[in-house]
Amino acid sequence: MKISSKIRVRKPAISADHRAPARVNLTAGSPGDGPAWGAGGGGLGEAEGVLLMITSLPHPPQKETKNAGNLPLPAQAPRRLVVSDVNVSGMGMLWRGRGRSAIIRAAVLLATVCLAAACSNSDPLGMETRDMRSIVVGSGDFPESEIIAEIYAQTLQANGFDVGRRMGIGSRETYVPALKDHSIDLIPEYIGNLLQYFAPASTATMLDAVELELYKRLPGDLSILTPSPACDTDTVTVTSGTATSWNLKTIGDLAAHSADVKFAAPSNFQARPSGLPGLKRKYGLNISPGNFVAIEDGGGAVTVRALLQGRVDAADIFSTSPAIPQNHLVVLEDPEHNFLAGNIVPLVNSQKKSDHLKDVLDAVSAKLSSSVVAALNATVEGNSGIDPGQAARNWVRYNRFDHPIGQ
């Protein structure tokens, strides 16, 4: 004998906010042996099952009756009012017995199915919200990237995010795929270099142009947030003494002294478009081959020492180098935007981008500047330097980002 595909549900008179047991009457019919059960709305057969369930579904207010809080017994069932039928498609069951035990088995099965359906759909938006609040922050394999990544991570934690960390991942060839496959969700980037990664032929150098083109070039599963004022890019840097004696403010001011300028930079600076060719084209600064001093430390300690000792007059030093504030060096302005914009920008997997994430990280980015980042870099430098995480923590506390944004 099979269970009918219809389950008759009796809803007692309850208010919208009232919780009461709801009565589910199971009726069944079979062309085989045994009694016919309530087919077509007739009286109940001898083997009717009753399942009591608790309901909190809102119903329109109804007039209270004397039985609203005291459900009738099965013997009173002929007086019941069938409010609705629930069709259960594809549900069948072969009965091996009759009477009460068979009905109980059916009731248990129905309760299990209903509970499973309810649980499978419980709080889907809540699960999505929790997932959006779970962020894995990564960094490149150099101190500045780790400091900024820690600033992101610590501020996000203070604003209700569940934060994981994967620091020192490596180059873009490693961490961009990691962003795409959700090994990490967020990493600090440099907007101009990021554009060059996705569009090597791009000639954009100004921040606005770089940002606009990057929006077009980024794959759909990656997004950038608002770039910070902090810019880590190439510079033409001189000592404060040279800046004073030659009255230098911009790179163009140095052009009048081209014949005397000895310039230190990595060897590829001689040929790359933003190197010596760009300085000559945009500012008229013409450095002869004999006055170019190749130093392969990326504007590091050897380059700085050559500048301080007077062996060179100008050098290519990155704008967030701690050597600049430490030695009171002067970065000449680049009004023609010869050098590529290097503003620090959060790069995030698009599925984790939310308004809350953007609000938090935009607030952080607004507080970062080239001089601030240079000072942070100085705190982790050398044997006496502190850990990048501690450097970040000090800055976060100083700027009150260890509290939720807006509090």
Side-chain angles (χ1 to χ4, degrees):
M1 184 179 299
K2 296 183 179 179
I3 295 178
S4 169
S5 62
K6 287 192 175 182
I7 302 170
R8 296 184 182 274
V9 181
R10 181 183 187 277
K11 298 177 182 175
I14 52 179
S15 66
D17 297 322
H18 185 63
R19 293 173 55 91
R23 185 188 187 97
V24 179
N25 296 318
L26 302 178
T27 63
S30 172
D33 295 336
W37 291 356
L44 292 178
E46 64 177 352
E48 178 177 357
V50 178
L51 172 64
L52 295 181
M53 302 177 67
I54 299 298
T55 176
S56 60
L57 295 175
H59 300 295
Q62 299 179 15
K63 183 177 180 181
E64 292 289 335
T65 69
K66 65 180 180 180
N67 289 324
N70 183 18
L71 289 177
L73 296 174
Q76 297 171 299
R79 297 201 307 266
R80 78 188 189 282
L81 173 65
V82 177
V83 178
S84 62
D85 289 340
V86 180
N87 292 321
V88 183
S89 61
M91 180 177 175
M93 178 176 180
L94 185 62
W95 287 80
R96 296 184 179 179
R98 301 178 184 176
R100 176 174 240 163
S101 62
I103 291 297
I104 291 175
R105 288 197 296 271
V108 171
L109 176 62
L110 177 62
T112 302
V113 171
C114 292
L115 180 61
C119 291
S120 66
N121 291 312
S122 64
D123 198 19
L125 294 179
M127 180 62 71
E128 181 179 349
T129 301
R130 287 192 294 274
D131 188 59
M132 291 293 285
R133 293 289 184 101
S134 177
I135 298 288
V136 178
V137 181
S139 81
D141 57 354
F142 56 99
E144 180 175 295
S145 182
E146 290 190 33
I147 294 170
I148 303 302
E150 274 291 346
I151 288 174
Y152 291 170
Q154 293 175 26
T155 306
L156 288 170
Q157 281 181 313
N159 283 272
F161 286 84
D162 180 15
V163 177
R165 291 166 170 81
R166 291 191 63 185
M167 302 301 181
I169 295 173
S171 65
R172 287 180 189 88
E173 288 73 19
T174 301
Y175 63 68
V176 168
L179 276 166
K180 287 172 167 285
D181 68 16
H182 289 283
S183 297
I184 60 173
D185 302 304
L186 169 69
I187 196 166
E189 251 292 3
Y190 301 90
I191 194 165
N193 296 101
L194 186 62
L195 174 61
Q196 291 289 322
Y197 177 82
F198 287 108
S202 173
T203 59
T205 58
M206 291 180 61
L207 175 59
D208 289 347
V210 169
E211 186 177 8
L212 179 61
E213 186 166 352
L214 186 56
Y215 278 124
K216 299 176 182 177
R217 301 286 186 168
L218 273 179
D221 51 359
L222 297 179
S223 299
I224 58 170
L225 304 183
T226 304
S228 73
C231 181
D232 188 356
T233 190
D234 297 270
T235 69
V236 174
T237 297
V238 299
T239 64
S240 58
T242 299
T244 299
S245 62
W246 285 354
N247 193 25
L248 304 177
K249 292 184 179 180
T250 71
I251 299 174
D253 296 335
L254 193 60
H257 305 275
S258 290
D260 302 318
V261 174
K262 290 186 177 181
F263 198 100
S267 56
N268 65 3
F269 196 84
Q270 296 179 87
R272 79 186 207 214
S274 62
L276 294 185
L279 295 176
K280 182 179 180 179
R281 183 177 67 257
K282 292 189 175 181
Y283 295 108
L285 179 60
N286 187 13
I287 306 297
S288 66
N291 281 345
F292 183 81
V293 179
I295 302 177
E296 307 298 336
D297 72 339
V302 177
T303 299
V304 172
R305 189 159 53 248
L307 189 62
L308 293 174
Q309 292 175 351
R311 290 187 284 120
V312 297
D313 304 293
D316 174 26
I317 298 176
F318 286 110
S319 54
T320 58
S321 168
I324 294 173
Q326 288 171 343
N327 297 285
H328 308 289
L329 301 178
V330 177
V331 175
L332 300 183
E333 296 173 13
D334 180 18
E336 298 298 323
H337 304 282
N338 176 68
F339 297 118
L340 183 63
N343 298 71
I344 298 172
V345 63
L347 178 64
V348 62
N349 185 291
S350 297
Q351 292 183 10
K352 292 301 181 84
K353 182 181 177 181
S354 65
D355 290 341
H356 187 42
L357 180 78
K358 186 177 187 307
D359 289 343
V360 171
L361 294 183
D362 280 359
V364 168
S365 292
K367 287 283 189 178
L368 293 173
S369 67
S370 298
S371 59
V372 164
V373 175
L376 285 167
N377 287 336
T379 65
V380 303
E381 192 178 53
N383 294 332
S384 60
I386 62 178
D387 181 81
Q390 186 59 51
R393 190 170 296 108
N394 294 342
W395 187 86
V396 165
R397 288 174 178 169
Y398 178 79
N399 289 279
R400 295 189 58 78
F401 287 135
D402 55 341
H403 298 80
I405 300 296
Q407 292 188 9

